[in-house]
Amino acid sequence: MARIVMKFGGTSMAGTERIRRVANIVRRQQAAGHEVAVVVSAMAGETDRLVNFCREANAMYDPAEYDVVVASGEQVTSGLLALTLQSLGCKARSWLGWQMPMKTVEAHSKARVESIDAPEMIAALERGEIAVIPGFQGVSAEGRIATLGRGGSDTSAVAVAAAIGADRCDIYTDVDGVYTTDPRIVAKARKQKAVTYEEMLELASVGAKVLQTRSVGLAMKEGVRVQVLSSFIDDDATPADEFPGTLIVSDEEMDQILKDSDMERQHVTGIAHDKNEAKIILTRVPDKPGAVAHIFEPLAGASINVDMIIQNVGRDKGETDVTFTVPQADLARAQALLEDKRSEIGFNRIITDDHIAKISVVGVGMKSHAGVASTMFKALADRGINIQAITTSEIKVSVIIDEDETELAVRVLHTAYGLDASDEAA
Ligand code: ADP
Ligand code: ASP
Ligand code: MG
């Protein structure tokens, strides 16, 4: 017998018919002899709908009230799943963020899980009750509802798994594992048997939305065993206990898996894209110590994450242009904050562009293999795709390009690194 957390994403929860399929998967897992806690997302599209209501109500919305609105989607699905499980004869109840409670810290709308007080829930699991937990929501230090950032139900699931000492956290979604790139863009993407925490962390952070970045970081820190698998399965599908999906594993476990299957580690594990960033250019900023700090301090103060930063070579008269990217959702706020500080920063013009995409290639193999970046630049150049900015880390290279070229760039790179499914068969 094991204790298992099962998380179901928005597509899996979209409507009562699908919720019934989810309830059946949950019931089967319990019937296999396990204690089961389930974490659910809002129905597909619901969170976007709620976010739009907030924007319509007040473009400069208060994140604490935004949380009140957007957390409601998960409350609905958790209640509906508990009801459906009960209709199948299972003992089940919902545990809302404040009832566990799941305590959070830091900014509303992107809160971080600090602790989960689980003894009551564990006692319920031990009595054979299925715990149904709305993902995405916790409770702040002030006792107000707080949400964990988009895609945050994955993090709820991993946090619950750590808190209840689960043997495994299964993330059920609308694809059957982690692929070399988004399988909806590249038909020849290959499903991976396993991916290391480090690679998954990097892939998620650059846009592979199959897992929220924080969920991977938390799983790595807490040693939670994570499997990504499909909820769109028949009754006779391979059971989750036999690992039909993709496992997220430590480096050592990966070495063992590769050894057992007589395979070599690839230089590039995956390619991700992200259309949710926006570019800001401040022109003619004074080229002197402290100027950059003046730009980024107000953004940090407003919890706006700045990703890529490029300070161009100085112009005449001791001036320079500074280019950087922020999440598209924060663009209006960032622009307003910078306009406010115009005289302090001393820039001339503010130019924004939300028609960009970030394309990244990720792989632990890059640490020991040169030439990954130059392959990327050449492949993109050969197709006439212009690179607007570049950043690198030990296991990643990212570029900013025009959003219209996203799909083409991902396909071209997938082929350039020999990741296409047919290449493996050859
Ligand atoms: P959920 O609603 O279940 O949380 P998400 O939409 O957040 O699901 O994540 C699943 C989606 O992630 C898939 O439908 C797929 O399009 C996308 N995706 C992006 N990159 C990858 C990848 N490398 N492997 C698998 N899926 C990916
Ligand atoms: N419903 C939330 C979102 O769409 C959280 C999640 O599904 O993970 O971002
Ligand atoms: Mg998700």
Side-chain angles (χ1 to χ4, degrees):
M1 190 199 81
R3 183 174 287 168
I4 293 171
V5 172
M6 307 170 74
K7 180 257 170 178
F8 293 89
T11 325
S12 314
M13 298 298 293
T16 45
E17 207 39 55
R18 291 208 177 147
I19 292 177
R20 190 159 292 278
R21 291 171 57 150
V22 165
N24 271 311
I25 298 173
V26 173
R27 183 174 61 164
R28 276 208 302 279
Q29 192 65 278
Q30 192 191 39
H34 304 313
E35 286 175 8
V36 185
V38 190
V39 175
V40 295
S41 285
M43 295 190 196
E46 178 65 4
T47 310
D48 287 342
R49 196 175 76 97
L50 296 169
V51 169
N52 279 332
F53 282 146
C54 293
R55 292 209 177 111
E56 280 168 29
N58 182 346
M60 299 293 282
Y61 52 75
D62 165 14
E65 296 304 341
Y66 161 98
D67 278 350
V68 172
V69 177
V70 300
S72 65
E74 273 75 6
Q75 174 157 341
V76 171
T77 47
S78 60
L80 288 174
L81 180 58
L83 285 172
T84 313
L85 284 164
Q86 288 168 0
S87 79
L88 298 177
C90 300
K91 282 192 283 178
R93 68 153 279 195
S94 58
W95 293 81
L96 303 184
W98 59 272
Q99 292 172 328
M100 281 183 274
M102 178 187 285
K103 295 197 180 123
T104 66
V105 285
E106 290 171 20
H108 274 283
S109 86
K110 45 186 107 167
R112 201 164 49 77
V113 180
E114 189 182 50
S115 65
I116 298 177
D117 224 3
E120 261 191 77
M121 201 166 73
I122 291 175
L125 295 175
E126 286 170 347
R127 290 194 301 270
E129 259 180 48
I130 296 169
V132 186
I133 298 147
F136 193 41
Q137 62 167 259
V139 57
S140 76
E142 293 77 38
R144 301 194 63 182
I145 199 156
T147 64
L148 307 182
R150 296 306 306 269
S153 298
D154 297 329
T155 302
S156 307
V158 172
V160 168
I164 66 173
D167 297 276
R168 204 171 71 230
C169 181
D170 283 341
I171 307 279
Y172 286 84
T173 182
D174 53 7
V175 285
D176 59 358
V178 178
Y179 281 69
T180 44
T181 193
D182 190 338
R184 297 188 196 286
I185 291 197
V186 180
K188 288 179 175 173
R190 265 192 284 129
K191 187 175 137 190
Q192 326 238 37
K193 199 180 160 73
V195 178
T196 66
Y197 286 113
E198 195 186 0
E199 286 166 323
M200 195 62 237
L201 192 61
E202 199 82 51
L203 273 171
S205 75
V206 292
K209 68 172 184 162
V210 61
L211 288 176
Q212 196 202 32
T213 312
R214 275 191 182 157
S215 72
V216 187
L218 191 61
M220 185 155 109
K221 180 167 150 263
E222 300 285 341
V224 174
R225 200 166 173 71
V226 175
Q227 174 177 214
V228 176
L229 69 174
S230 176
S231 70
F232 291 81
I233 47 173
D234 297 327
D235 289 354
D236 58 357
T238 311
D241 296 346
E242 291 172 29
F243 304 117
T246 299
L247 274 178
I248 316 299
V249 299
S250 65
D251 229 19
E252 296 75 48
E253 203 174 341
M254 189 67 168
D255 282 339
Q256 194 56 49
I257 291 171
L258 291 170
K259 209 165 132 204
D260 291 348
S261 49
D262 209 16
M263 278 167 63
E264 276 188 34
R265 214 180 260 245
Q266 286 183 306
H267 304 317
V268 169
T269 310
I271 300 169
H273 69 278
D274 183 356
K275 294 183 179 179
N276 293 317
E277 287 198 24
K279 190 173 73 176
I280 298 180
I281 305 172
L282 296 182
T283 67
R284 303 182 56 186
V285 176
D287 194 5
K288 61 173 194 215
V292 173
H294 276 134
I295 299 173
F296 297 114
E297 265 165 14
L299 301 180
S303 296
I304 296 175
N305 285 327
V306 175
D307 182 18
M308 292 183 165
I309 304 174
I310 301 157
Q311 179 169 337
N312 299 351
V313 178
R315 301 172 177 229
D316 303 339
K317 298 187 213 134
E319 290 171 340
T320 182
D321 293 348
V322 178
T323 304
F324 53 94
T325 62
V326 297
Q328 240 173 54
D330 292 330
L331 179 60
R333 280 197 311 137
Q335 202 170 347
L337 284 164
L338 292 166
E339 287 288 4
D340 253 14
K341 302 270 175 194
R342 179 185 279 268
S343 55
E344 229 167 285
I345 302 169
F347 62 88
N348 176 261
R349 279 210 308 148
I350 179 163
I351 304 165
T352 64
D353 180 4
D354 60 6
H355 204 70
I356 57 164
K358 182 168 73 176
I359 313 292
S360 309
V361 300
V362 172
V364 167
M366 273 183 218
K367 284 184 187 172
S368 54
H369 180 83
V372 170
S374 63
T375 301
M376 180 179 203
F377 305 150
K378 170 134 192 0
L380 295 176
D382 285 350
R383 299 304 289 260
I385 298 171
N386 186 42
I387 297 173
Q388 302 176 19
I390 303 167
T391 55
T392 62
S393 80
E394 211 179 10
I395 65 163
K396 174 200 79 185
V397 186
S398 300
V399 296
I400 295 285
I401 60 168
D402 188 300
E403 189 182 329
D404 290 344
E405 296 177 318
T406 309
E407 281 75 15
L408 175 64
V410 173
R411 276 195 206 105
V412 162
L413 294 173
H414 200 263
T415 305
Y417 291 112
L419 297 175
D420 290 352
S422 55
D423 288 2
E424 197 193 33

